[in-house]
Amino acid sequence: MKAISRKTRVAVLGGGPAAIAAVYSLLNGKDAETYEITVYQENTQLGGKCASFTANSPTNHRIYEHGLHVLMGFYDVSLSWIHDMYREIAKGPFAKNLPTVKEIFKPADSFTLCENPDDAGWQYWTLPFPENKRAIGDKRQSLHQLIGQGLRAFLKLRRALAKQHGGHYQHLRLFLFEVLLILLLGLMAIGSVLKLLHWSRLFAGLRRFIAREMRNELHRIGAKLDENKGVDNVTRQLAMCIGFVGVNLCGILQDELYLPPNDLRSINDQDYKDWLKQHNVADWPEDLSWNSVVVNALYQLPFSNGTSMAAGTTLHTVMRLGMGYAGHVAYHIKLGMGDAVFAPAYLLLKDKVDFKFFHQVCDVVPDETNSSIKRVSIQAYDLDKNFQPLRKISVGDNEWFSWADCPTRSPQCRTLELEAGHDFDVLILGMSVGSF
């Protein structure tokens, strides 16, 4: 008699971004039919730290909590997942009168920075990022492609500075530098196509020469800036961008971070600002280089001001953020993340996944080898069987879904002991290990 194969039982602890993304991936893979998934969630709203909801009142549409307000354009995996969800939503019974992904995730093509140079008063300036042809879901760019984009950006900024001053910052050597830079970009493109020449040491000498000339060019610009004290804001901002792009590129080329066995991780033992200082040009002002408003904004964005940030990881983020984005540098979320991301996820998953709301994980117990989990303890609270976690809200002229107010849970609870091999075959820990 043929044995009946059963599905793989997957227990997911928590309903935050990582947990829901994992569930969605399992159920959209080639083995989707082989999984039986149960999600254990502490309350009645998915999203974890990104959970949010919109007030249920005719006069109050306030968003409570929010999660992220902006998704960066280089969040390739997250954006692809979100767009895939909205495509699936558009095919189903919820499609009527629902807003599109473009209506909820609004493109942004600039960042606004503010600084107080020389304590002369706060100044605001907009840093534009042009829309590009990369589409969400395209293959992620390689390091050499990002370096190539950085070199082109340096060239474009340098030309803009020369144009701003009618040739005052122009000279014959700059023309020769541009010719060599264009030659290097051509060789990089050929190497990328052939997948052979680019990373070989054949062009290492040319790259080192370009790095040296780039430093010389920064030195010349710095000397001009020193001669012309009190330059206008546009010149100062252009110089700041040139210095930022140039010093990062010089560091990559001089440290040969593009050649094995080196890579960006090889400088993670240094702070990013310290790494920039090493490659800064002597005549380049501190407030236009490693201590500029651009660099300080990078530290303030993840709330790391006053602490160190790994140089390689930060450099990788800088390159992806500034040159590796898909379409637009950022996407502003019109709703809270609970409504914009996790409500559609629940709509798509609720008929395929057993969501256990009001199930609080109390403990996980490893086996004797400490290599896997043998038991999970959960406190389960009763929930009205008719309770619906989502409710409809208005988004402009459209309808959407938000999370219902979390009901008061019953004071009585029961303890569930989930055993490996009996209650689950695979365990996904979608919550912080600091929870225990």
Side-chain angles (χ1 to χ4, degrees):
M1 186 176 177
K2 201 174 200 180
I4 299 176
S5 61
R6 62 173 177 80
K7 292 186 176 183
T8 300
R9 297 163 300 185
V10 181
V12 183
L13 308 185
I20 299 305
V23 171
Y24 189 87
S25 297
L26 287 176
L27 293 179
N28 283 271
K30 62 179 182 179
D31 298 323
E33 297 299 323
T34 67
Y35 297 112
E36 181 182 291
I37 302 176
T38 304
V39 174
Y40 297 92
Q41 168 64 16
E42 179 179 8
N43 52 33
T44 59
Q45 297 176 353
L46 299 181
K49 292 294 185 182
C50 294
S52 68
F53 66 97
T54 302
N56 185 20
S57 168
T59 58
N60 179 15
H61 300 288
R62 181 179 179 182
I63 298 171
Y64 288 84
E65 298 299 335
H66 203 292
L68 300 175
H69 291 258
V70 171
L71 292 179
M72 297 301 180
F74 72 97
Y75 290 174
D76 299 319
V77 176
S78 297
L79 290 172
S80 295
W81 171 45
I82 290 168
H83 275 244
D84 184 60
M85 283 198 301
Y86 276 77
R87 279 193 295 268
E88 292 301 313
I89 285 285
K91 299 175 186 176
F94 310 105
K96 187 178 180 180
N97 296 326
L98 292 183
T100 65
V101 65
K102 291 183 179 179
E103 291 174 306
I104 293 182
F105 296 86
K106 295 289 187 180
D109 295 310
S110 64
F111 292 120
T112 299
L113 304 177
C114 59
E115 60 173 337
N116 186 13
D118 302 321
D119 293 324
W122 287 99
Q123 299 176 0
Y124 299 84
W125 57 289
T126 299
L127 195 60
F129 291 83
E131 181 181 355
N132 61 34
K133 295 181 180 180
R134 283 195 73 227
I136 291 171
D138 282 357
K139 183 179 179 182
R140 179 174 289 187
Q141 294 159 299
S142 64
L143 178 60
H144 82 272
Q145 288 174 317
L146 293 173
I147 292 174
Q149 283 185 257
L151 291 170
R152 283 188 286 272
F154 182 85
L155 200 57
K156 185 176 180 179
L157 288 166
R158 185 62 188 85
R159 288 170 176 168
L161 181 63
K163 183 178 180 180
Q164 172 74 10
H165 289 271
H168 184 62
Y169 284 79
Q170 188 68 273
H171 48 77
L172 178 61
R173 192 167 183 129
L174 175 60
F175 172 75
L176 297 175
F177 170 72
E178 288 190 10
V179 171
L180 287 172
L181 192 54
I182 292 170
L183 174 62
L184 176 59
L185 289 169
L187 292 173
M188 290 174 71
I190 294 172
S192 176
V193 172
L194 297 180
K195 299 185 184 299
L196 173 65
L197 298 178
H198 176 72
W199 295 126
S200 73
R201 294 188 176 271
L202 180 61
F203 301 134
L206 179 57
R207 290 195 190 91
R208 283 194 293 270
F209 177 77
I210 289 292
R212 185 168 63 250
E213 282 303 302
M214 194 176 293
R215 289 182 63 83
N216 290 337
E217 186 57 30
L218 291 174
H219 178 82
R220 286 188 285 268
I221 296 173
K224 287 286 185 183
L225 290 172
D226 194 53
E227 288 175 14
N228 300 280
K229 295 291 187 181
V231 294
D232 60 277
N233 280 337
V234 174
T235 300
R236 186 174 182 278
Q237 291 161 8
L238 275 172
M240 188 185 302
C241 293
I242 290 171
F244 179 73
V245 174
V247 171
N248 276 286
L249 287 171
C250 285
I252 292 172
L253 297 175
Q254 289 177 339
D255 290 350
E256 297 189 337
L257 300 179
Y258 53 87
L259 287 174
N262 296 330
D263 60 22
L264 297 180
R265 290 172 296 183
S266 63
I267 58 171
N268 268 342
D269 59 334
Q270 303 176 55
D271 175 61
Y272 180 57
K273 280 190 175 182
D274 291 340
W275 182 79
L276 289 176
K277 286 182 192 178
Q278 292 177 24
H279 297 285
N280 194 33
V281 179
D283 290 333
W284 203 259
E286 171 186 319
D287 64 335
L288 299 184
S289 56
W290 61 267
N291 199 29
S292 69
V293 62
V294 176
V295 176
N296 287 328
L298 290 171
Y299 277 74
Q300 291 164 359
L301 187 63
F303 308 104
S304 296
N305 202 28
T307 62
S308 62
M309 297 203 307
T313 300
T314 307
L315 180 57
H316 181 257
T317 301
V318 166
M319 297 176 77
R320 293 282 176 209
L321 188 154
M323 295 171 291
Y325 55 88
H328 303 272
V329 70
Y331 295 86
H332 179 261
I333 309 174
K334 186 175 180 180
L335 301 173
M337 281 195 74
D339 299 345
V341 178
F342 298 102
Y346 177 76
L347 288 173
L348 291 172
L349 296 174
K350 66 186 183 69
D351 295 329
K352 304 175 184 177
V353 176
D354 185 9
F355 285 96
K356 300 286 190 183
F357 293 115
F358 274 169
H359 280 59
Q360 183 177 1
V361 179
C362 301
D363 195 17
V364 292
V365 181
D367 63 9
E368 291 72 17
T369 64
N370 284 326
S371 60
S372 63
I373 301 299
K374 70 176 183 180
R375 186 171 64 256
V376 178
S377 297
I378 294 177
Q379 283 188 337
Y381 297 84
D382 291 330
L383 184 64
D384 187 340
K385 292 181 180 180
N386 295 321
F387 174 75
Q388 295 297 323
L390 294 182
R391 55 180 171 78
K392 288 187 177 182
I393 59 172
S394 295
V395 180
D397 296 330
N398 300 308
E399 290 183 337
W400 195 238
F401 292 89
S402 183
W403 296 93
D405 295 337
C406 189
T408 303
R409 67 186 185 186
S410 168
Q412 287 80 32
C413 71
R414 61 189 187 281
T415 301
L416 305 180
E417 298 290 345
L418 307 183
E419 300 286 343
H422 184 269
D423 300 293
F424 63 88
D425 304 303
V426 176
L427 185 71
I428 295 178
L429 185 62
M431 52 196 301
S432 170
V433 292
S435 303
F436 306 103

